[in-house]
């Protein structure tokens, strides 16, 4: 199982390495695509995203998972 912890502007992967984070809007359009070099702690800026609900797809060294992200302004 992929275990993630979301903090404002940071994702922490527990016992695995992050490779990529993609963010999709409610229409399914990709609004962010960030690649990482096998990091356990990564930060990404959401200040350019408007208020709303997004789907965050996270690719790690052990698989892929999706989480919901709500941006409130």
């Amino acid at each position: 199982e992929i275990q993630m912890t979301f903090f404002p502007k940071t994702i922490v992967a527990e016992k695995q390495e992050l490779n990529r984070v993609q963010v999709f809007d409610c229409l399914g359009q990709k609004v962010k695509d960030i690649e990482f070099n096998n990091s356990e702690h990564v930060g990404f800026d959401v200040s350019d995203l408007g208020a709303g609900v997004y789907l965050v797809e996270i690719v790690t060294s052990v698989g892929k998972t999706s989480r919901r992200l709500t941006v409130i302004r």
Side-chain angles (χ1 to χ4, degrees), residues 3 28 70:
Q3 296 182 4
T70 303

Side-chain angles (χ1 to χ4, degrees), residues 2-4 11 19-21 24 30 33 42 47 50-52 55-56:
I2 298 174
Q3 296 182 4
M4 300 283 157
I11 298 174
N19 297 325
R20 172 179 243 157
V21 173
F24 299 89
K30 190 184 313 177
D33 189 356
V42 297
S47 64
L55 178 68
V56 180

Side-chain angles (χ1 to χ4, degrees), residues 3-49:
Q3 296 182 4
M4 300 283 157
T5 304
F6 279 75
F7 297 101
K9 298 186 179 182
T10 306
I11 298 174
V12 177
E14 299 171 14
K15 300 179 183 172
Q16 60 218 340
E17 297 174 334
L18 290 166
N19 297 325
R20 172 179 243 157
V21 173
Q22 295 179 312
V23 181
F24 299 89
D25 65 14
C26 62
L27 299 175
Q29 296 178 330
K30 190 184 313 177
V31 294
K32 276 193 174 291
D33 189 356
I34 308 162
E35 290 189 41
F36 302 101
N37 291 324
N38 299 322
S39 300
E40 289 184 15
H41 299 261
V42 297
F44 68 99
D45 187 11
V46 296
S47 64
D48 58 335
L49 298 177

Side-chain angles (χ1 to χ4, degrees), residues 51-68:
V53 178
Y54 297 87
L55 178 68
V56 180
E57 185 176 273
I58 303 149
V59 179
T60 73
S61 57
V62 297
K64 181 168 52 170
T65 189
S66 298
R67 300 289 166 91
R68 185 180 68 176

